[in-house]
Every structure is written in C-alpha cells, then in structure tokens.
Amino acid sequence: MAGARTRSRMNETIAIRRGSVRDRAFVLDLGKRVAPTSVSSLRIALPPLVEGAYERLVEYVLAREHDVIVAEVDGAPAGFTLLIYDLPDEITLTEQAFIAYMAVEPLQQRRGIARALLASLEELARKRGLPYLSLMVTEENEAARELYSGAGFETERRMMTKAL
C-alpha cells in the first residue's frame, strides 16, 4: 500500500492509510464500542470483560509484526483493521496474513468502508507474497459473514460449543 488510496461513494471520499500512534485512542475507543458483536449469545460476557479482552488483543497485535490500517471518510476516522503477519495457520503452519480485528463506526456501516479496508489488506498480503488472508468471525454476526463471503472468504473451520 503506497500512501493513501481513495475512492468515492455517494459523495463521500473513503481514504485508506496506515495507522500511527496518533490513531491509538481511536482504535481503542471504536474497538471497545463494537466488541460486543464478537461475543456469541451462548456465553455470558460482562462489558468490562469484553473491553478487557479487546485491550489484551490490541496489546498482542502491537507486540507482533503487524499493520494498523485506518479508513477515513471525508478526513475523519471511520474504521480500522489490525493485521498480523507472523501468525501462521496453527495446523499446517502455512504463512498467512491474519485479520485480528476490524471495526467500522456503527453510523458509517454499509457504505463500503469495510470492503475498502479488506481490499487494502489483500493488497498488503499479496505484496508480501503471503498465500492466505485469514480471520475469525462470530457465527451470529451475519452482516460480517456476508461481507467476508462476498469478498471471497470461505469457511475453513468451525468452532462448536455446547452450553452445559
């Protein structure tokens, strides 16, 4: 990704850029606000636990080889992704780029921001010669699953849980 890429949609300009330390507060705030969409209804998750888990994820990502990619709409941050490069598939050990987290401002969703972020991640992974771009998504997050399917992602594994 060489500099910011932009595209227009419905009189809005979506710009994609690499994040910096200046984006940390935005990434933490938005991630905490949308983190409940990552929790299955099978499990009881108190908001402070969900927020804490998200904060630990951010620290984990920042300690690895990673990129933070930020989407802006008309100059204002509207979404981001956390991408890890040094997390191979746990079974085959195949190298991959792994999307650790993606979030779009709730009022900005369904405007092409997530698609633009995904396209930039795919470009980054291809430039590094990585053969796969992977992620995990909560089964109940239908909108996200549709987005990923539409972008060519396929279900590789499925975690199943039984409440006791």
Side-chain angles (χ1 to χ4, degrees):
M1 183 165 88
R5 291 180 34 205
T6 61
R7 64 177 234 203
S8 295
R9 179 176 166 91
M10 298 179 0
N11 297 326
E12 296 176 331
T13 300
I14 301 171
I16 304 296
R17 63 172 174 79
R18 277 201 163 91
S20 71
V21 294
R22 294 184 326 264
D23 296 302
R24 186 177 177 99
F26 169 71
V27 167
L28 286 171
D29 174 62
L30 176 57
K32 285 180 188 179
R33 285 188 284 122
V34 301
T37 65
S38 299
V39 179
S40 163
S41 64
L42 291 174
R43 301 179 189 262
I44 297 171
L46 300 173
L49 295 177
V50 175
E51 289 179 10
Y54 175 72
E55 289 172 349
R56 288 189 300 279
L57 173 66
V58 170
E59 292 307 315
Y60 176 81
V61 170
L62 295 179
R64 306 191 70 90
E65 187 179 357
H66 73 281
D67 265 317
V68 176
I69 306 300
V70 176
E72 294 180 336
V73 173
D74 295 332
F80 71 89
T81 58
L82 303 176
L83 185 65
I84 301 174
Y85 296 110
D86 62 346
L87 187 67
D89 176 73
E90 70 269 12
I91 296 171
T92 66
L93 301 180
T94 306
E95 288 185 329
Q96 64 184 358
F98 187 83
I99 302 169
Y101 206 81
M102 179 168 16
V104 174
E105 285 286 358
L107 294 177
Q108 296 280 356
Q109 292 176 1
R110 298 205 175 262
R111 294 183 178 177
I113 296 166
R115 280 190 302 281
L117 284 166
L118 281 176
S120 71
L121 300 181
E122 191 170 324
E123 178 183 332
L124 287 169
R126 285 182 195 280
K127 282 184 177 178
R128 284 179 164 253
L130 296 170
Y132 298 98
L133 179 59
S134 300
L135 57 86
M136 290 191 301
V137 62
T138 304
E139 190 75 14
E140 294 168 4
N141 192 339
E142 191 172 329
R145 287 189 301 107
E146 287 176 7
L147 168 73
Y148 301 137
S149 292
F153 286 80
E154 298 179 57
T155 301
E156 183 176 24
R157 296 183 191 103
R158 185 172 290 201
M159 183 170 125
M160 298 178 75
T161 301
K162 179 179 180 178
L164 303 175

